[in-house]
Amino acid sequence: GGPRQCRRLEAEAARAVLGAADTLLFDCDGVLWRGEAAVGGAAATLGRLAAAGKRLCYVTNNSSRTRVAYTEKLRRLGFPPAEPRHIFGSAFCAARYLRQALPPGAAAYVLGSPALAAELEAVGIPHLGPGPAALPGPAPADWAQAPLDPAVRAVLVGFDEHFSYAKLCQALRYLLRGGSDCLLVGTNRDHRLPLEGGTGIPGTGCLVKAVETAAQREAFIVGKPNRYMFDCVVSEFNIDPARTIMVGDRLDTDILMGNSCGLTTLLTLTGVTTLDEVKGHQESDCPARQSLVPDYYVDSIADLLPALGD
Ligand code: PLP
Ligand code: CA
């Protein structure tokens, strides 16, 4: 009820909000680190949260790393030890979704990274696709003659640095052949990956859109803001949304998922969002924009340190 108000989480309120929570879900890039550099004080903050008995989970739309690779990155950057089961990357969640949705023995045609392939292998789903596509002939019309694997019952689209027109052709052919029997799944819709200095590179959403446009159908998305990623956390741990905080830097993924799943939402300004954007949504009476407004914000999660004592 009522318009959402985003307030800065200062020490006293932070103690109360953290005290009422037993689980924190952390987005990764823009919250814990930027690229390969940890956010200053972030590792110490998570260390204190872990010492205070909080359950820490990690939810990331990045499909180009496995759960195991995330545990290694966390360790390398000085964060408290995490087990693979605490990591909910969109590669793992996509594999889990296909494991549930596909009949035994069915395969996936994958536009994605070796990490996405590895997560599929970990749950026993045969796959084709990662790496550069072999070109079956000199002209695009020849590409419609390339052999199709009869076992393929899903097209999965993740971050793929070898995305190509040839792969797009092949994905479309699987989708046309299978009709509604061939699933179309995307890891996430992030439109851009911001880099330092105001520049960026096209995100996985661009690749998902290309396949959707060709096939004229909508993909099922496993990543934030869809609640499937939160449902994966719930299936692994005993989660009470009212005692869970979602910490993120992006309004249309992290904060939207947290708000729609009934979590307390905390925005950090170390990533892609400015406070002016929050204010714009807050002052709007459009419900879709209201759902992007977090409960709280901090400049950095290191600002929580004073509330965590010593
Ligand atoms: N997708 C890719 C390929 C990325 O490299 C990143 C960030 O590095 C993301 C998505 C966004 O990840 P997160 O949800 O952790 O912010
Ligand atoms: Ca992020």
Side-chain angles (χ1 to χ4, degrees), residues 1 15 37 69 114 118 127 138 185 188 196 241 246 302:
R15 254 187 295 276
H127 57 82
V185 177
N188 63 301
E196 301 297 323
M246 173 70 215

Side-chain angles (χ1 to χ4, degrees), residues 26-40 42-43 46 58-60 62 65-67 69-80 82 87 194 196 249 268 270-272 300-301:
F26 286 97
D27 168 53
C28 297
D29 202 64
V31 173
L32 306 179
W33 55 66
R34 297 203 291 186
E36 282 304 310
V39 166
L46 268 68
Y58 304 86
V59 290
T60 172
N62 188 350
R65 278 179 202 267
T66 60
R67 299 182 113 179
Y70 271 102
T71 63
E72 285 158 4
K73 181 163 185 177
L74 286 163
R75 178 175 332 113
R76 192 165 71 238
L77 296 182
F79 288 91
I87 315 285
E196 301 297 323
D249 71 315
T268 69
T270 45
V272 299
S300 158
I301 57 169

